[in-house]
Amino acid sequence: MITAIVIDDELPARENLKILIEEFCAGISVLATAGTIQAAKTLILDKKPDVVFLDIRMPSGAEGFDLLDSLDSIDFEIVFVTAFKDYAIQAFKANAIDYILKPVEIDELIKTAKKLVSHCEKPLQKENKKEVVKNTFNTINNQKVERIAITQLHGIKLIEVKNIARLQSQSNYTEIHFKDGSKYLDSKTLKVYHEILPTDQFMRLHNSHIVNLGELSEFQNEQGNIVILKNGDQVPVSRTNLSLLMSYFKTI
């Protein structure tokens, strides 16, 4: 039996994947799940799983890649569970890294599971995959995302990411606020946008808010931590993400 750990910051997402694996992936046993980088690292070192199903990007700014980089050795299989598409998928394929796109489709999950079972049945010595992961991350990180697609009633609209001022979660939807004052409600969650928007241009400052760093005008902490954008919009900064914002200010 292949042992696995599921890592995702969102409880519904990791519980859903755990259920799908247990129901449709014969031969794989989920030992545990984790919602933070530190908890995940502790589980990996303690449980020594055969495979880790890993979300790439967390709201706190910590990356799944950061978790892997913190380990001395990566001697387990990795399956990235991600909303990334196009250029990132090319990086996964080029470096022979497994991935599953969100939302998770059962057929794709079953294919991945069969591949894992087949690979783990071979009596091969485990190898350190750290260099492979590093190459994958560098390939993804060096790509520039200039446009993204949003679904409209009668088709798809391409928008320039530089024109976005901020994004705000509205339940399972995301309200996109543009620099010109217009806004649009999209069916993708804020978590998805957190994955696909370039991290050198956008920062998730709160569970419900992502801002364009180029639009920041002021930071205030008199009555809670907030940032004020050039257009006057005020966005709260969670305590979890405050250090990330302060680190950014030190770079400019």
Side-chain angles (χ1 to χ4, degrees):
M1 181 69 72
I2 295 174
T3 57
I5 289 175
V6 174
I7 303 167
D8 194 302
D9 63 286
E10 295 185 337
L11 177 60
R14 62 179 182 268
E15 287 300 314
N16 179 62
L17 182 55
K18 179 178 182 291
I19 291 170
L20 291 178
I21 292 172
E22 291 175 340
E23 185 170 351
F24 297 101
C25 303
I28 299 180
S29 173
V30 178
L31 298 175
T33 67
T36 66
I37 295 298
Q38 189 53 51
K41 184 175 180 179
T42 300
L43 277 177
I44 289 172
L45 295 177
D46 181 47
K47 302 291 186 180
K48 302 188 185 310
D50 297 312
V51 58
V52 170
F53 289 84
L54 178 62
D55 181 33
I56 288 184
R57 193 161 289 168
M58 309 279 188
S60 63
E63 312 289 333
F65 286 110
D66 291 340
L67 163 65
L68 299 175
D69 190 50
S70 71
L71 300 171
D72 293 330
S73 176
I74 302 172
D75 57 359
F76 48 84
E77 298 299 317
I78 306 162
V79 178
F80 285 114
V81 186
T82 176
F84 276 131
K85 293 183 181 179
D86 302 330
Y87 69 91
I89 297 308
Q90 295 172 19
F92 292 140
K93 290 181 177 178
N95 292 290
I97 293 284
D98 249 324
Y99 65 91
I100 302 172
L101 283 178
K102 297 177 181 177
V104 177
E105 294 185 1
I106 294 174
D107 288 345
E108 293 303 313
L109 179 61
I110 292 173
K111 287 180 184 178
T112 297
K114 288 180 178 178
K115 191 188 304 183
L116 287 169
V117 171
S118 175
H119 182 79
C120 291
E121 283 178 345
K122 298 176 182 178
L124 298 176
Q125 186 175 1
K126 290 185 176 181
E127 57 180 330
N128 188 351
K129 298 180 177 62
K130 192 154 187 176
E131 193 63 29
V132 173
V133 171
K134 182 179 178 180
N135 290 339
T136 305
F137 172 73
N138 288 338
T139 303
I140 292 173
N141 203 40
N142 289 333
Q143 298 292 330
K144 291 295 182 182
V145 179
E146 297 181 349
R147 296 196 299 172
I148 57 176
I150 57 177
T151 304
Q152 297 187 122
L153 182 61
H154 301 295
I156 294 174
K157 179 180 178 64
L158 294 175
I159 61 173
E160 304 283 336
V161 297
K162 65 181 181 181
N163 293 330
I164 299 174
R166 66 183 181 91
L167 304 95
Q168 182 172 352
S169 174
Q170 298 288 355
S171 187
N172 290 323
Y173 295 83
T174 298
E175 192 170 66
I176 306 171
H177 294 254
F178 295 95
K179 294 179 183 179
D180 63 6
S182 62
K183 58 185 179 181
Y184 180 85
L185 189 66
D186 189 42
S187 59
K188 289 190 284 292
T189 65
L190 195 69
K191 175 70 179 292
V192 171
Y193 277 106
H194 182 57
E195 290 201 3
I196 63 179
L197 288 171
T199 55
D200 61 338
Q201 298 175 52
F202 291 86
M203 183 179 292
R204 190 164 185 172
L205 296 180
H206 186 278
N207 278 345
S208 300
H209 298 274
I210 294 175
V211 299
N212 183 335
L213 294 171
E215 294 301 297
L216 292 179
S217 174
E218 190 176 344
F219 168 72
Q220 296 182 357
N221 58 7
E222 289 183 77
Q223 297 179 333
N225 299 312
I226 64 168
V227 292
I228 301 175
L229 305 189
K230 292 176 180 178
N231 63 7
D233 286 353
Q234 297 186 11
V235 176
V237 181
S238 69
R239 285 184 294 177
T240 304
N241 293 298
L242 182 59
S243 60
L244 189 65
L245 179 64
M246 293 300 105
S247 296
Y248 167 72
F249 284 144
K250 291 178 182 178
T251 67
I252 57 178

